[in-house]
Amino acid sequence: MTSPATDPDARRVLVIAHTGRQDARDVAVQFCVALSKFGIRLRMLKDEAAELDLELPDVEEVKASADAAAGCEVVIVIGGDGTILRAAELARECGTPLLGINLGHVGFLAEAESDDVEFTIDAIVNRRYSSEERLTIDVSVYRDVEGEKELVCSTWALNEASVEKAARERMIEVVVEIDGRPLSRWGCDGVVCATPTGSTAYNFSAGGPIVWPGVEALLMVPLSAHALFARPLVVAPTSVMAVEVMARTDGAGVLWADGRRTVDLPPGARIEVRRGRMPVRLVRLHQAPFTDRLVAKFDLPVIGWRGTAERRRRNGGGSAR
């Protein structure tokens, strides 16, 4: 007989939670107990399972690795956007979609709020959800060795890769390049290279544009650049963006990928950013347009709008005039 842990036909979900928060632990336990009652197998990271101390049978414990979500139909992520970005590192290679339950502040990556738990559990149990692919970026860091590029490291990001000054008191001087051609040189605090998904994160805070998730594009935004031409750029998804830290600059730099992974950048380092080879999949429970998400997340004022749908609603479903 096949054991529950190895049964290929068993439904499985990976549950990831910000266990440093009591509210996240409470919601995680609520999800685990409910899903277990419906015969859905639970998988958790070992340290998180120990902290939750669930008294449930057949909870599979795994290490945090690129195949942690293999064989799972969905990854339930309980926390803020930072927790979802951590979960993306475990689910991207497997292609398992992420379902975020927001316990943070804005929570743009999350699909549900903490008061939607029962609805979300029902949607998972009855498979009433879809998923969409989000463009990622692959990032390569090189250093110059006797006139030749030597690869230092490779990483990726769902939101953004930012090249920043390492010391607060010093700027870094960079040359930016698009598709193999130099564009401009900036003395600046840094440069953000973002995806449409990341356009509402660091990119937005730096003055960059908000780009709808369905738009395939890459973004570059300078940070506090001392230059006349230092505007946000939107380029083709096939473009290759590059940032070179000038060899004669006084300040060293640092690369941040999604605010989680860092690489030290010595003077002369070159950072290349291109469309990622693999997307990240996010679960959708609602079909509301991205515009509605923007209004809700940023609490934008829309009172007074007299669009067709609103007029129809006010008229009790009749035709708009």
Side-chain angles (χ1 to χ4, degrees):
M1 180 179 293
T2 304
S3 68
T6 59
D7 182 2
D9 297 323
R11 297 184 63 189
R12 292 181 179 79
V13 298
L14 172 63
V15 179
I16 295 177
H18 186 336
T19 52
R21 296 179 51 170
Q22 183 61 51
D23 55 351
R25 294 197 296 271
D26 292 343
V27 172
V29 170
Q30 187 177 353
F31 264 97
C32 290
V33 171
L35 294 176
S36 181
K37 287 181 179 179
F38 283 101
I40 297 177
R41 304 297 177 187
L42 301 173
R43 183 180 296 175
M44 299 194 71
L45 303 181
K46 287 185 177 181
D47 55 344
E48 294 183 7
E51 291 188 56
L52 292 182
D53 193 24
L54 294 169
E55 295 182 0
L56 294 172
D58 304 322
V59 176
E60 183 183 359
E61 298 182 6
V62 296
K63 296 180 179 179
S65 64
D67 61 352
C72 293
E73 62 182 64
V74 71
V75 180
I76 300 171
V77 190
I78 302 163
D81 280 351
T83 309
I84 296 176
L85 290 172
R86 174 166 64 90
E89 297 173 0
L90 310 178
R92 182 191 186 216
E93 292 290 333
C94 303
T96 307
L98 305 171
L99 171 53
I101 314 298
N102 181 42
L103 298 179
H105 298 290
V106 178
F108 247 101
L109 293 174
E111 178 65 10
E113 301 295 326
S114 57
D115 54 1
D116 297 330
V117 171
E118 292 185 3
F119 170 83
T120 306
I121 291 171
D122 182 72
I124 295 171
V125 170
N126 293 288
R127 291 191 172 98
R128 286 199 295 267
Y129 61 85
S130 59
S131 68
E132 63 182 25
E133 293 186 348
R134 294 294 183 93
L135 181 150
T136 61
I137 50 177
D138 286 341
V139 186
S140 301
V141 179
Y142 299 90
R143 65 177 180 178
D144 183 79
V145 178
E146 297 180 351
E148 297 292 332
K149 290 196 311 182
E150 179 182 276
L151 182 65
V152 175
C153 74
S154 299
T155 187
W156 69 278
L158 172 59
N159 273 350
E160 79 283 314
S162 60
V163 176
E164 302 178 31
K165 61 182 183 180
R168 180 180 180 182
E169 68 276 8
R170 293 183 180 276
M171 292 191 305
I172 57 173
E173 190 170 358
V174 301
V175 172
V176 295
E177 170 194 300
I178 306 294
D179 294 329
R181 302 302 303 163
L183 180 69
S184 188
R185 187 179 71 213
W186 298 322
C188 58
D189 287 349
V191 180
V192 175
C193 299
T195 67
T197 298
S199 70
T200 53
Y202 195 173
N203 168 84
F204 174 76
S205 299
I210 292 178
V211 178
W212 264 235
V215 176
E216 294 199 337
L218 302 176
L219 293 78
M220 176 181 283
V221 181
L223 302 174
S224 302
H226 290 222
L228 291 177
F229 179 81
R231 299 301 185 193
L233 306 174
V234 180
V235 303
T238 54
S239 290
V240 177
M241 302 183 293
V243 180
E244 292 189 352
V245 181
M246 298 294 289
R248 63 177 181 274
T249 188
D250 292 330
V254 60
L255 170 74
W256 286 89
D258 279 341
R260 291 185 45 80
R261 301 175 296 280
T262 65
V263 180
D264 291 332
L265 302 173
R270 176 182 172 86
I271 302 89
E272 294 182 358
V273 178
R274 51 176 48 83
R275 181 178 187 152
R277 62 182 178 83
M278 297 186 66
V280 166
R281 297 174 64 201
L282 299 181
V283 166
R284 296 298 306 271
L285 299 176
H286 316 282
Q287 297 306 312
F290 183 69
T291 306
D292 290 355
R293 182 180 291 262
L294 277 180
V295 170
K297 294 296 184 179
F298 287 142
D299 193 22
L300 301 178
V302 294
I303 295 175
W305 177 68
R306 299 181 63 189
T308 302
E310 179 67 8
R311 289 197 297 271
R312 187 181 297 119
R313 184 188 68 79
R314 291 176 179 176
N315 292 336
S319 60
R321 297 183 179 179

